[in-house]
């Protein structure tokens, strides 16, 4: 299948693989266990914590799109994060993007407090971090690009060179873009992590994750730990996620087009103080993003003038953007990172990475774009009125 385009490969993943009935779409195997052919002779699968035919179809499809040798499908994005951290030994050094997802931040900080890992939170978008990282010589470098919620861009290839020099594993959390817009293994990463809850499933009805490896020995260790701890994704979740993955290309094309128009609207609105979006030519990571991404994504963050009252008026006036966490689903969402996605981070750390109280994040969905633009405009008009009244 590798000569086919990614859109075709995701639509056709495991299509027609059922030898029993010739089902076009792969059937779902819910069974927890499988009979042995005879004493001492097991079949391909024996127990669904270890392997499951439906989960394997999804793992194969995700690994194929990311260009990995294989993937481990987990019960959530955080279990994929926890699984990949199992590759480290007690006391190992791990450098983590300083503005990583709040849940990842909470986990690595907890492991550091327990003395299990030596964690350095690093601004990896800053080129001067390269010398510092080389000198520190970590066993793992953990990158999120674009980062959440400020969409800072890290040069994956540059960090891959550091990882090669120091013998570290380079892990990239690719949740914000999905393989439709970025394939980190191609730029030198060793492992890709996903919260499949987001773009890969794309319908906000499954929580799941995946870890994709470039090398067979890393895949083997990940699969061993997933079985050992019991982190595997459920068959039904895998079935739904594979169904979502089939439309990844079609969905992301509409996501991207809609996001582009939303950025155009926000960028010229004087109630908006600042827009963060890698597709803007004045975004500090624009050139790197243009080099390593094949699309800008559909996450947009921006700051509103008018502080907390303006933020409240804006989010409460929207009708086509639900006030909810998560991202990458067909539906548009609005989030306030300081009180939602990044509430697990203490206020000082939030301030240090630039997540202010006026910051709003949009996950632009695939609704009709004119409806989205009209909704944003009317919410901004209300903000204008509130700030005039309170000024
Ligand atoms: N990584 C990133 C970048 C995320 O945004 C999230 C969740 O929002 C996670 C990991 C964790 O994924 P999950 O919520 O599926 O456990």
């Amino acid at each position: 299948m590798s000569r086919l385009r990614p859109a075709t490969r995701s639509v056709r993943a495991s299509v027609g693989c059922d030898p029993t009935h010739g089902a076009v779409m792969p059937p779902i195997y819910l069974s927890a266990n499988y009979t042995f052919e005879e004493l001492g002779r097991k079949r391909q699968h024996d127990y669904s914590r270890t392997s499951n035919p439906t989960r394997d179809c999804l793992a194969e499809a995700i690994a194929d799109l990311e260009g990995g040798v294989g993937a481990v499908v987990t019960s959530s994005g955080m279990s994929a994060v926890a699984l990949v951290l199992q590759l480290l030994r007690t006391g190992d050094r791990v450098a983590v993007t300083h503005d990583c997802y709040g849940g990842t931040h909470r986990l690595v900080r907890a492991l550091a407090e327990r003395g299990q890992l030596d964690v350095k939170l690093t601004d990896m978008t800053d080129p001067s971090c390269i010398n510092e990282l080389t000198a520190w010589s970590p066993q793992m470098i953990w990158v999120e690009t674009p980062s959440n919620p400020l969409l800072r861009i890290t040069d994956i290839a540059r960090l891959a060179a550091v990882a090669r020099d120091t013998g570290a594993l380079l892990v990239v959390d690719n949740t914000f873009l999905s393989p439709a817009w970025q394939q980190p293994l191609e730029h030198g990463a060793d492992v890709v992590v996903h919260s499949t809850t987001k773009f890969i499933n794309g319908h906000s009805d499954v929580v799941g994750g995946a870890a994709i490896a470039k090398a067979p020995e890393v895949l083997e260790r990940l699969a061993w730990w997933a079985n050992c701890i019991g982190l595997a994704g459920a068959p039904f979740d895998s079935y739904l996620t594979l169904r979502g993955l089939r439309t990844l290309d079609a969905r992301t094309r509409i996501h991207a087009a809609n996001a582009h128009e939303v950025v155009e609207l926000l960028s010229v609105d004087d109630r908006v103080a600042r827009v963060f979006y890698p597709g803007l030519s004045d975004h500090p990571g624009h050139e790197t993003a243009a080099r390593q991404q094949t699309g800008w994504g559909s996450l947009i963050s921006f700051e509103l003038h008018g502080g907390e009252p303006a933020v409240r008026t804006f989010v409460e006036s929207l009708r086509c953007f639900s006030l909810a966490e998560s991202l990458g689903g067909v539906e548009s969402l609005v989030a306030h990172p300081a009180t939602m996605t990044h509430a697990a981070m203490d206020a000082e750390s939030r301030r240090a990475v630039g997540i202010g109280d006026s910051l709003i994040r949009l996950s632009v969905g695939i609704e009709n774009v004119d409806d989205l633009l009209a909704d944003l405009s009317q919410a901004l008009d209300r903000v204008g009125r509130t700030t005039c009244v309170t000024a």
Side-chain angles (χ1 to χ4, degrees):
M1 292 274 270
S2 59
R3 266 174 286 118
L4 299 173
R5 309 290 192 288
T8 313
R9 300 204 310 269
S10 53
V11 169
R12 301 210 58 86
S14 296
V15 163
C17 71
D18 169 34
T20 315
H21 301 292
V24 172
M25 286 299 158
I28 172 168
Y29 289 90
L30 293 169
S31 189
N33 45 1
Y34 302 82
T35 57
F36 277 55
E37 281 186 52
E38 59 181 62
L39 192 63
R41 209 160 133 217
K42 63 177 191 171
R43 300 173 199 269
Q44 186 182 349
H45 305 281
D46 59 355
Y47 191 58
S48 278
R49 168 161 45 74
T50 317
S51 70
N52 170 277
T54 312
R55 195 168 64 233
D56 286 359
C57 289
L58 174 62
E60 208 179 292
I62 296 176
D64 173 51
L65 292 179
E66 286 287 4
V69 291
V72 175
V73 168
T74 59
S75 56
S76 68
M78 279 318 299
S79 56
V81 173
L83 171 63
V84 174
L85 292 174
Q86 299 300 321
L87 297 173
L88 295 168
R89 292 172 189 274
T90 303
D92 273 358
R93 292 177 295 280
V94 54
V96 181
T97 308
H98 74 319
D99 54 352
C100 63
Y101 169 61
T104 303
H105 184 270
R106 177 174 47 197
L107 176 59
V108 295
R109 203 182 47 196
L111 293 173
E113 276 164 12
R114 268 213 230 147
Q116 272 176 254
L117 294 177
D118 189 355
V119 175
K120 190 192 269 295
L121 295 169
T122 309
D123 180 358
M124 299 193 195
T125 61
D126 178 355
S128 72
C129 85
I130 300 294
N131 291 342
E132 198 190 322
L133 280 184
T134 309
W136 197 55
S137 192
Q139 278 74 29
M140 183 177 281
I141 301 176
W142 191 287
V143 177
E144 238 179 81
T145 181
S147 70
N148 181 17
L150 292 170
L151 308 169
R152 291 191 170 117
I153 303 294
T154 297
D155 188 328
I156 300 172
R158 187 184 290 166
L159 282 174
V162 177
R164 262 196 314 277
D165 287 350
T166 60
L169 277 176
L170 177 62
V171 182
V172 177
D173 185 329
N174 200 25
T175 299
F176 263 45
L177 288 179
S178 89
W181 286 316
Q182 179 170 268
Q183 290 139 40
L185 300 182
E186 212 178 80
H187 302 286
D190 299 291
V191 177
V192 169
V193 169
H194 273 288
S195 166
T196 57
T197 314
K198 314 299 185 317
F199 287 102
I200 287 186
N201 176 58
H203 293 75
S204 302
D205 52 8
V206 180
V207 171
I212 303 100
K214 184 155 73 181
E217 60 278 14
V218 174
L219 178 67
E220 203 177 301
R221 284 162 67 204
L222 289 172
W224 190 87
W225 277 108
N227 180 47
C228 185
I229 312 178
L231 297 176
F236 192 68
D237 291 353
S238 301
Y239 163 83
L240 282 177
T241 305
L242 181 57
R243 190 165 75 155
L245 181 69
R246 294 191 194 287
T247 57
L248 180 68
D249 180 80
R251 283 186 282 113
T252 49
R253 275 186 281 131
I254 303 176
H255 278 295
N258 286 1
H260 177 80
E261 296 209 30
V262 169
V263 167
E264 292 211 322
L265 179 135
L266 295 175
S267 300
V268 295
D269 195 294
D270 54 15
R271 289 151 299 194
V272 174
R274 203 166 156 199
V275 180
F276 302 85
Y277 180 68
L280 288 171
S281 58
D282 62 353
H283 184 285
H286 178 72
E287 280 176 27
T288 308
R291 213 170 39 244
Q292 70 189 15
Q293 298 175 199
T294 52
W296 306 118
S298 60
L299 273 294
I300 302 163
S301 292
F302 64 100
E303 283 168 349
L304 269 184
H305 288 299
E308 202 267 345
V311 169
R312 183 174 290 278
T313 304
F314 179 76
V315 300
E316 291 179 356
S317 304
L318 290 166
R319 284 173 306 139
C320 296
F321 289 76
S322 307
L323 179 62
E325 296 194 358
S326 204
L327 57 108
V330 289
E331 78 292 2
S332 290
L333 300 175
V334 59
H336 181 233
T339 55
M340 295 168 71
T341 48
H342 286 65
M345 238 166 146
D346 58 77
E348 200 186 314
S349 309
R350 269 202 311 270
R351 260 194 307 278
V353 298
I355 304 171
D357 291 344
S358 300
L359 189 75
I360 292 171
R361 189 190 77 186
L362 299 179
S363 172
V364 180
I366 64 169
E367 299 91 341
N368 180 286
V369 73
D370 293 332
D371 289 336
L372 296 181
L373 298 176
D375 195 30
L376 290 166
S377 297
Q378 64 80 26
L380 286 167
D381 287 346
R382 282 173 198 251
V383 169
R385 281 203 290 278
T386 314
T387 39
C388 282
V389 171
T390 52

